[in-house]
């Protein structure tokens, strides 16, 4: 350690110049930063769910779309509204990456020719708008409200709300930036149309959702990172009352996150809603290291040590605990690398590296700067405040010793009672629930759900088991039966559409009956006639495969918990297993519903991995297996407590909560390490339990409380986000860290009182 300090002092100018210089050079890469809000970032290249979806898309086309919603309280069947719909429909047709457009005006209306009743006409529902009279518009409205393929899909029951759906091309998602291109173009269309007509348009679908995620991520990164730095600086000033302590700690943070973020960009990673907040994680991590180093340095100077002696003193006291806390923090974040959810995996790896890098920068940069600036520190006598702290520590130790059994009994009862709430937990990975209620996109989704139809969709692929099998009357009747039973069983299923609707419509026009005909040839003729009569781009090849063996059935649903999604998906697939056919539920809604398992696995597996690895590291360092429970208990109980409260309150676990468990362990164990190292140090000096506990409280208690305040406030900043996983993560983590420090300073001493309160210590050899 002495040689290490001598080398830092010797090469102090090199260190102080090179670290900022390397940071600036790497920071040049920040100009290339890109943000990806696409749904694909949540799934790895080897994801079965993504592979399944890509296979579906290659056969049936994309299920993603951009939706324009128009509401006219007087009804949309007026020339002004219909003209606007017609213009927007045409503009969408001409937009890059859009394969098909469906709207009220270009709906392919199947009906008999008025002049030749034996002939069927298939044409745009609204033609020659300028020539239509008010009576004809009313007639169109009456027809629309009786059309099964329109009502509850493109128009609502009172004809005041309608939507235009632009279906994306299958390859649109393969082009990075395509979603932004589509959104920007369509947003431009509706703004222009709004200025022209005065209508208020709403946008929904994949591109607006991706744009919302990107916007929220960028807002969080550019707003809350500076806020976190400002709060940290204020806290550091309150603690140190010295500008050098503030700037040194902040410098470590800035160097760390600029370096890590730049390396991420060099490796080809793009920011997402999780990694965009990485600087706040690094602020919490980096400041704690620098705080401990600078704090002990000041104590050394106040004890009449010169500058170099104080640097040696602080490194000697802090190197091991700071190294250990950096390792355990890295383990906590690094355990997230096992997650199948890609943004969580990348966040875990990047932040684990940041924890280790922050330690390296702290150990080299802070002492080097101190060696150069040699701050003046007044030598102080023991103040009344410090005497009060010593007196408080002794009284506190006596209190713990006297009531240790009661403390353990009460806390254990509380934890068991609250922990039972875990059994009530639900997991929710619905992307719409990831947004606050005041986010415009979520308000649009609620509007669609309230006024029009279900904004979510299942793409159900039903296999008839034979070529041309979808034309079999028995098969079509089974699809009709399924649709009726599905909607009857689940009120959240709002509309179901397939080629069965086309066949029933044709039969209604031809035979006057909305029934599926019993003649397969007649069904084939209906579908052929319909297909030949459709304009280019409106073909039915996205409703069936080329062999006409598999049929696509689209169910529109309300936004529901993932658990209900999985229940409905399971019901659908089980229903078809009891028939000669089979079905598979696909599409983005189903894909994200299946991500629920990844969320649960991330929470459980990352916590277990963090506990195991941290325990192993502690065993290597302290070489005492009896200390392992002392690390586990104070850091697992806060997680149980917080998640148990969530269960009792009926809250759901999302990906934000899923990542919090391992991070809480990785960060909270830092306080436990500092506490036990001080306690062990005191016992090795020959102090009895009361003396050792008083020593620990006096010399580590304040530092533990200060770092917890800084960390909790840094994480609590996430609660201001409009991205709910960030909100839940921030609240859960901040509360858990506060609980953890209470456990460290109350429950842990009570445990030690019961099991290490003798003259002889099981933690170490006590000097006699």
């Amino acid at each position: 350690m002495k040689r290490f300090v001598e080398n830092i002092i010797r090469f102090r100018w090199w260190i102080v110049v090179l670290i900022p210089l390397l940071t600036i050079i790497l920071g040049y890469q920040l100009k290339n930063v890109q943000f990806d809000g696409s749904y694909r970032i949540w799934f790895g290249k080897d994801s079965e769910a993504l592979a399944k979806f890509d296979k579906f898309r290659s056969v049936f086309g994309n299920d993603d779309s951009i939706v324009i919603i128009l509401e006219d309280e007087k009804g949309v069947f007026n020339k002004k509204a219909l003209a606007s719909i017609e213009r927007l429909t045409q503009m969408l047709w001409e937009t890059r990456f859009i394969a098909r457009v469906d709207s009220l005006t270009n709906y392919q209306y199947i009906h008999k020719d008025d002049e030749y009743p034996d002939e069927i006409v298939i044409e745009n529902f609204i033609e020659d708008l300028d020539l239509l009279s008010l009576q004809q518009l009313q007639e169109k409205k009456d027809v629309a409200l009786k059309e099964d393929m329109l009502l509850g899909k493109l128009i609502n029951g009172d004809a005041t709300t309608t939507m235009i759906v632009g279906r994306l091309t299958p390859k649109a998602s393969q082009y990075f930036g395509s979603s932004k291109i589509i959104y920007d173009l369509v947003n431009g269309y509706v703004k222009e149309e709004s200025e022209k007509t005065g209508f208020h348009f709403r946008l929904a679908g994949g591109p607006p959702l991706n744009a919302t995620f990107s916007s929220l991520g960028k807002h969080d990164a550019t707003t809350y990172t500076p806020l976190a730095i400002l709060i940290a600086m204020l806290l550091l000033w309150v603690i140190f009352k010295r500008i050098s302590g503030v700037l040194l700690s902040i410098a470590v943070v800035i160097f760390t996150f600029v370096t890590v973020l730049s390396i991420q960009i060099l490796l080809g990673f793009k920011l997402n809603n999780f990694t965009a907040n990485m600087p706040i994680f690094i602020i919490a991590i980096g400041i704690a290291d620098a705080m401990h180093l600078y704090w002990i340095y000041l104590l050394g100077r106040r004890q009449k040590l010169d500058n170099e002696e104080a640097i040696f003193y602080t490194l000697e006291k802090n190197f091991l605990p700071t190294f250990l806390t950096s390792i355990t923090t890295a383990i906590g974040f690094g355990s997230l690398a096992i997650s199948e959810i890609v943004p969580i995996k990348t966040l875990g790896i990047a932040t684990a590296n940041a924890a280790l890098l922050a330690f390296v920068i702290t150990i080299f940069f802070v002492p080097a700067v101190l060696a150069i600036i040699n701050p003046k520190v007044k030598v102080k006598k023991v103040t009344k405040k410090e005497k009060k702290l010593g007196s408080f520590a002794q009284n506190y130790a006596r209190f713990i010793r006297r009531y240790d059994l009661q403390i353990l009994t009460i806390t254990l009862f509380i934890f068991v009672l609250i922990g039972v709430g875990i059994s009530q937990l639900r997991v929710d990975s619905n992307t719409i629930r990831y947004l606050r209620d005041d986010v415009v996109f979520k308000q649009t989704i609620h509007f669609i759900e309230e006024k029009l139809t279900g904004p979510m969709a299942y793409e159900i692929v039903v296999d008839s088991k034979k070529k041309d099998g979808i034309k079999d009357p028995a098969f079509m009747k089974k699809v009709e039966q399924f649709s009726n039973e599905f909607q009857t069983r689940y009120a959240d299923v709002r509309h179901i559409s397939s080629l069965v609707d086309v066949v029933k419509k044709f039969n209604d026009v031809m035979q006057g009956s909305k029934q599926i005909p019993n003649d397969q040839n007649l069904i084939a003729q209906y579908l052929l006639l319909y297909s030949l009569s459709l304009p280019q781009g409106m073909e039915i090849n996205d409703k069936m495969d080329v062999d006409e063996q598999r049929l696509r059935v689209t169910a529109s649903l309300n936004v529901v918990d993932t658990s209900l999604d999985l229940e409905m998906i399971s019901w659908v697939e089980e229903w078809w297993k009891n028939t000669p056919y089979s079905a598979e539920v696909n599409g983005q809604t189903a894909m994200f519903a299946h991500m629920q398992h990844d969320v649960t696995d991330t929470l459980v597996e990352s916590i277990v991995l963090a506990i195991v690895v941290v325990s192993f590291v502690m065993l290597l360092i302290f070489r005492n297996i009896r200390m392992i429970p002392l690390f586990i208990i104070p850091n697992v109980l806060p997680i149980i407590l917080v998640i148990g409260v969530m269960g009792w309150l009926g809250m759901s676990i999302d990906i934000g909560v899923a990542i919090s468990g391992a991070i809480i362990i990785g960060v909270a164990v830092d306080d436990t390490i500092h506490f036990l190292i001080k306690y062990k140090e005191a016992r090795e000096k020959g102090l009895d339990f009361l003396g050792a506990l008083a020593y620990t409280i006096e010399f580590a208690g304040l530092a533990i409380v200060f770092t917890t305040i800084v960390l909790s406030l840094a994480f609590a900043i996430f609660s201001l986000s409009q991205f709910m996983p960030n909100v839940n993560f921030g609240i859960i983590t901040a509360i858990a860290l506060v609980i953890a420090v209470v456990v460290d300073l109350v429950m842990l001493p009570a445990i030690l009182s019961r099991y290490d309160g003798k003259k002889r210590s099981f933690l170490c050899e006590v000097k006699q």
Side-chain angles (χ1 to χ4, degrees):
M1 181 59 65
K2 187 176 181 180
R3 286 196 300 271
F4 177 70
V5 173
E6 287 173 351
N7 284 324
I8 286 180
I9 294 171
R10 180 182 177 188
F11 297 106
R12 59 190 181 278
W13 283 106
W14 284 98
I15 295 170
V16 169
V17 171
L18 280 177
I19 289 178
L21 183 62
L22 288 172
T23 303
I24 293 170
I25 293 171
L26 285 170
Y28 185 71
Q29 293 298 321
L30 295 180
K31 67 182 180 64
N32 299 319
V33 66
Q34 292 179 313
F35 197 96
D36 192 353
S38 166
Y39 70 89
R40 298 185 71 89
I41 66 169
W42 301 97
F43 304 91
K45 293 180 180 178
D46 300 326
S47 167
E48 291 183 12
L50 189 59
K52 181 180 170 183
F53 175 68
D54 286 341
K55 184 179 178 181
F56 161 82
R57 194 178 54 184
S58 67
V59 176
F60 295 97
N62 209 334
D63 77 328
D64 203 1
S65 59
I66 186 162
V67 180
I68 304 173
I69 301 98
L70 166 65
E71 181 188 29
D72 189 334
E73 293 180 356
K74 298 177 181 179
V76 297
F77 280 92
N78 62 77
K79 290 189 178 182
K80 180 182 176 182
L82 291 173
S84 183
I85 294 168
E86 199 169 49
R87 285 191 296 270
L88 287 170
T89 300
Q90 185 57 39
M91 283 188 277
L92 285 183
W93 270 118
E94 297 169 358
T95 301
R96 186 184 177 192
F97 298 118
I98 291 183
R100 173 185 176 131
V101 184
D102 291 286
S103 71
L104 189 61
T105 57
N106 79 340
Y107 165 65
Q108 296 305 291
Y109 178 43
I110 306 168
H111 63 101
K112 288 183 178 180
D113 193 314
D114 294 335
E115 296 182 9
Y116 304 97
D118 292 334
E119 293 186 9
I120 292 181
V121 177
I122 302 174
E123 62 182 356
N124 287 344
F125 188 52
I126 304 295
E127 291 278 12
D128 301 322
L129 178 62
D130 293 337
L131 302 179
L132 295 178
S133 65
L134 291 176
Q135 182 180 347
Q136 288 172 316
L137 288 174
Q138 182 61 42
E139 290 172 356
K140 290 285 186 183
K141 175 183 175 181
D142 295 339
V143 170
L145 296 181
K146 295 177 183 177
E147 286 288 297
D148 293 335
M149 291 188 288
L150 271 180
L151 187 61
K153 183 180 180 184
L154 292 180
I155 192 169
N156 68 341
D158 59 5
T160 58
T161 308
T162 186
M163 65 182 183
I164 308 165
V165 181
R167 189 76 63 187
L168 273 56
T169 60
K171 294 185 178 180
S173 60
Q174 296 179 8
Y175 294 90
F176 178 73
S178 62
S179 182
K180 185 177 186 303
I181 292 171
I182 297 167
Y183 174 74
D184 289 343
L185 287 171
V186 176
N187 196 39
Y189 301 158
V190 298
K191 282 184 178 179
E192 180 183 340
E193 195 64 30
S194 182
E195 291 173 0
K196 182 184 296 185
T197 62
F199 287 127
H200 173 62
F201 297 94
R202 295 173 171 87
L203 293 180
L209 177 60
N210 294 342
T212 299
F213 279 146
S214 297
S215 175
L216 294 182
K218 291 174 183 176
H219 175 266
D220 287 0
T222 55
T223 303
Y224 301 134
T225 298
L227 179 60
I229 291 175
L230 178 61
I231 291 173
M233 291 176 71
L234 290 174
L235 288 172
L236 289 168
W237 177 256
V238 170
I239 294 168
F240 294 125
K241 300 278 195 307
R242 301 181 68 89
I243 192 66
S244 56
V246 174
L247 295 181
L248 272 176
S249 301
I250 295 301
V252 169
V253 168
I254 293 174
F255 296 154
T256 303
F257 78 66
V258 169
T259 301
V260 172
L261 187 57
S262 300
I263 291 173
Q264 289 284 102
I265 295 169
L266 281 171
L267 294 175
F269 289 99
K270 299 177 180 66
L271 289 183
N272 54 62
N273 289 78
F274 272 127
T275 53
N277 293 309
M278 186 171 59
I280 299 180
F281 287 93
I282 297 172
I283 289 169
I285 295 166
I287 281 180
D289 288 348
M291 274 182 62
H292 280 287
L293 213 66
Y294 192 74
W295 181 265
I296 301 301
Y297 170 81
L298 291 180
L299 290 180
R301 292 299 300 273
R302 287 166 183 164
Q303 293 172 11
K304 299 183 180 181
L305 298 179
D306 64 25
N307 192 39
E308 292 187 10
E309 289 173 338
I311 293 172
F312 175 80
Y313 178 73
T314 189
L315 283 174
E316 184 183 39
K317 293 288 184 183
N318 280 297
F319 191 94
L320 179 59
T322 306
F323 173 71
L324 290 177
T325 55
S326 299
I327 291 292
T328 53
T329 301
I331 290 169
F333 282 100
S335 65
L336 298 175
I338 64 173
S339 176
E340 294 297 324
I341 303 172
V342 176
I344 292 179
K345 183 195 295 273
T346 54
L347 173 69
I349 294 172
T351 318
N353 290 331
L356 299 176
L357 181 61
F359 167 74
V360 173
I361 292 176
T362 300
I363 290 300
F364 281 92
F365 185 76
V366 173
V369 172
L370 291 174
I372 292 172
I373 64 174
N374 190 9
K376 294 181 179 179
V377 180
K378 293 181 180 179
V379 177
K380 292 184 178 180
K381 297 179 180 179
V382 178
T383 63
K384 290 183 179 180
K385 188 176 180 181
E386 289 169 335
K387 286 181 180 179
K388 285 183 179 179
L389 177 60
S391 177
F392 169 80
Q394 292 174 5
N395 292 331
Y396 189 82
R398 284 193 287 267
F399 171 81
I400 294 293
R401 183 59 179 271
R402 184 176 180 180
Y403 297 105
D404 53 8
L405 185 59
Q406 291 91 327
I407 290 171
L408 291 175
T409 303
I410 293 170
T411 52
L412 185 61
F413 174 77
I414 292 172
F415 282 120
V416 170
L417 179 65
I418 295 178
V420 173
I422 294 176
S423 62
Q424 309 297 319
L425 278 176
R426 298 171 299 167
V427 179
D428 193 2
S429 57
N430 191 305
T431 52
I432 305 302
R433 300 278 177 85
Y434 287 173
L435 306 173
R436 275 190 189 271
D437 290 339
D438 57 348
V439 174
V440 173
F441 183 87
K442 190 170 184 179
Q443 292 174 345
T444 299
I445 294 299
H446 286 162
F447 179 85
I448 295 173
E449 190 173 274
E450 179 186 352
K451 298 280 189 176
L452 188 54
T453 187
M456 314 303 287
Y458 294 162
E459 300 296 346
I460 305 165
V461 179
V462 186
D463 190 347
S464 68
K465 301 298 184 181
K466 61 181 179 180
K467 189 174 181 179
D468 294 327
I470 66 168
K471 301 171 186 174
D472 186 341
F475 174 77
M476 285 214 157
K477 288 179 180 179
K478 190 59 71 173
V479 172
E480 182 183 35
Q481 179 190 348
F482 159 75
S483 300
N484 292 334
E485 289 188 21
F486 193 22
Q487 286 186 284
T488 301
R489 183 179 180 87
Y490 294 103
D492 288 299
V493 180
R494 300 283 293 276
H495 188 274
I496 299 178
S497 61
S498 69
L499 288 177
V500 171
D501 302 315
V502 174
V503 172
K504 290 169 67 177
K505 178 63 179 178
F506 263 96
N507 208 51
D508 183 31
V509 173
M510 294 292 291
Q511 309 294 335
S513 172
K514 284 188 177 182
Q515 302 294 321
I516 297 168
N518 293 318
D519 187 344
Q520 182 166 336
N521 290 328
L522 184 57
I523 292 174
Q525 289 174 26
Y526 286 163
L527 292 177
L528 179 61
L529 178 59
Y530 182 65
S531 181
L532 293 175
S533 304
L534 292 172
Q536 185 177 359
M538 302 286 284
E539 296 87 355
I540 61 173
N541 54 5
D542 65 332
K543 303 298 182 184
M544 60 185 180
D545 67 346
V546 292
D547 293 328
E548 299 182 3
Q549 175 179 321
R550 290 178 290 170
L551 181 70
R552 176 181 181 175
V553 180
T554 301
S556 300
L557 309 100
N558 294 329
V559 178
V560 298
D561 288 342
T562 304
S563 299
L564 182 54
D565 268 324
L566 292 175
E567 179 189 322
M568 289 193 287
I569 291 169
S570 176
W571 183 88
V572 169
E573 295 179 347
E574 286 297 321
W575 192 95
W576 282 101
K577 284 180 182 178
N578 297 320
T579 70
Y581 318 108
S582 65
E584 185 178 75
V585 181
N586 216 310
Q588 291 187 46
T589 302
M591 188 164 61
F592 276 97
H594 285 296
M595 196 174 78
Q596 183 197 60
H597 300 298
D598 295 333
V599 172
T600 305
D601 291 346
T602 296
L603 176 63
V604 176
E605 293 175 3
S606 62
I607 288 176
V608 172
L609 180 61
I611 290 171
V612 170
V613 179
V614 166
S615 299
F616 180 70
V617 171
M618 294 303 100
L619 183 60
L620 287 178
I621 299 299
F622 289 98
R623 300 170 186 262
N624 189 337
I625 197 168
R626 289 177 293 181
M627 288 189 70
I628 301 302
L630 299 180
F631 286 103
I632 295 176
I633 293 172
N635 299 294
V636 173
L637 287 181
I639 300 173
I640 295 173
L641 188 64
V642 175
I643 297 180
V645 169
M646 289 181 62
W648 283 117
L649 295 177
M651 298 171 64
S652 298
I653 291 179
D654 59 17
I655 52 177
V657 178
I659 69 173
S660 64
I663 292 174
I664 290 167
I665 290 175
V667 175
V669 77
D670 295 358
D671 291 340
T672 311
I673 289 172
H674 282 288
F675 184 95
L676 288 176
I677 284 179
K678 282 295 180 188
Y679 178 81
K680 187 170 181 287
E681 178 184 315
R683 290 292 268 162
E684 287 175 343
K685 289 181 177 180
L687 297 177
D688 61 9
F689 169 77
L690 289 175
L693 183 56
Y695 176 89
T696 304
I697 295 298
E698 185 174 358
F699 292 99
L702 273 181
I704 289 172
V705 171
F706 284 149
T707 53
T708 299
I709 291 172
V710 172
L711 290 168
S712 298
L713 286 176
F715 287 125
I717 288 173
F718 286 109
S719 64
L720 302 174
S721 173
Q722 290 183 306
F723 185 61
M724 288 308 297
N726 283 345
V727 173
N728 293 334
F729 166 79
I731 294 172
I732 294 299
T733 306
I735 293 173
L737 291 179
V738 172
I739 294 171
V741 79
V742 173
V743 172
D744 276 329
L745 297 180
V746 179
M747 189 175 184
L748 180 57
I751 293 173
L752 290 171
S753 175
R754 298 298 297 176
Y755 299 103
D756 195 57
K758 302 173 184 178
K759 189 173 182 181
R760 186 179 180 85
S761 173
F762 77 85
L763 293 179
C764 57
E765 290 296 326
V766 178
K767 293 180 181 179
Q768 300 299 323

